[in-house]
């Protein structure tokens, strides 16, 4: 016990009680399965530690998940969609860096949650017809920026990303692969800004290392499920994930 306590990491059992399911939840979301639920990971960890620290601990785990997902999904991605969304997402991380000390995490959570619920309400009240046009590319660029920004602040980039991509009704594997490539690039771009903001330190990184074995498990489970699930059920679960995420983020931002 003494040797364990000497390690520069978080030792509070309450933290690991929320961190373990948060990491597994993020892994499932990173695979494209239960898309949106991953945005709950940092708010869940924030029950035990401050949000910026939770985001810093999650960052190395996201990179392991990204590598695991890319290995299995890369060849299925939609390259044309990525040419639109990736530059916007990287621009969003720049905006996140500049506004990190200006906007509170609670404000960002409330805005993301409200917009997510508004998007779902619009889809429910005015469901698209089979001949409805796909969302416009300018909207995709704006939502790509929003995704990069909210991903930088709280690893909550899925709701804006899904608001544009889900209505395109991609094949589940194509959706999962496109999301995997997009967020791998966005997460990789966070390292230097996070270090510059003082979020990368020995205690956070050692805690990440302790949680690292869990990182690929959720991704593997999610990829396995994505390959086998009916597309109709896939999108029902995706929208359910967005609804739960939106409600939780709005609640966290307003409480």
């Amino acid at each position: 016990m003494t040797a364990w306590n000497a390690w520069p990491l978080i030792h509070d059992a309450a933290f690991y009680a929320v961190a373990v399911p948060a990491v597994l939840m993020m892994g499932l979301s990173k695979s494209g399965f239960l898309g949106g639920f991953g945005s709950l990971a940092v708010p869940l960890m924030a029950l035990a530690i401050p949000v910026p620290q939770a985001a810093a601990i999650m960052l190395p785990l996201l990179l392991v998940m990204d590598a695991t997902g890319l290995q299995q999904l890369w060849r299925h991605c939609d390259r044309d969609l990525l040419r639109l969304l990736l530059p916007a997402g990287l621009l969003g991380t720049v905006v996140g860096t500049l506004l990190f000390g200006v906007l509170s995490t609670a404000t960002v959570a409330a805005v993301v949650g409200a917009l997510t619920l508004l998007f779902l309400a619009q889809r429910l009240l005015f469901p698209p017809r089979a001949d409805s046009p796909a969302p416009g590319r300018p909207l995709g660029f704006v939502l790509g920026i929003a995704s990069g920004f909210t991903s930088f602040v709280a690893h909550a980039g899925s709701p804006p990303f899904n608001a544009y991509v889900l209505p395109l009704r991609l094949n589940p594997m194509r959706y999962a692969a496109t999301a995997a490539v997009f967020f791998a690039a966005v997460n990789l771009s966070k390292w230097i800004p996070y270090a510059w903001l003082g979020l990368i330190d020995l205690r956070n990184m050692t805690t990440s290392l302790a949680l690292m074995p869990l990182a690929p498990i959720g991704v593997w489970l999610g990829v396995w499920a994505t390959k086998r699930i009916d597309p109709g059920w896939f999108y029902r679960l995706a929208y359910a994930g967005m609804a739960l995420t939106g409600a939780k983020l709005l609640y966290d931002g307003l409480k």
Side-chain angles (χ1 to χ4, degrees), residues 108-178:
V108 174
V111 171
V112 174
L115 291 177
T116 300
L117 293 177
L118 285 173
F119 164 75
L120 288 171
Q122 184 267 334
R123 298 286 293 179
L124 179 64
L125 297 174
F126 305 101
R129 301 188 307 272
D131 58 348
S132 297
R137 292 177 72 85
L139 176 62
F141 192 81
V142 171
L143 290 174
I145 294 174
S147 182
F149 170 69
T150 54
S151 178
F152 183 89
V153 175
H155 302 317
S158 292
F161 178 88
N162 286 340
Y164 181 71
V165 177
L166 286 181
L168 300 177
R169 304 292 295 183
L170 302 177
N171 173 276
M173 285 298 292
R174 197 169 188 83
Y175 161 83
T178 304

Side-chain angles (χ1 to χ4, degrees), residues 2 55 89 133 190:
T2 302
K190 298 175 189 175

Side-chain angles (χ1 to χ4, degrees), residues 66-89:
D66 290 333
T68 305
L70 287 175
Q71 180 185 18
Q72 302 187 54
L73 297 170
W74 167 263
R75 64 183 181 276
H76 300 289
C77 70
D78 188 317
R79 289 174 172 77
D80 181 63
L81 193 54
L82 287 171
R83 281 192 287 269
L84 169 68
L85 295 177
L86 260 182

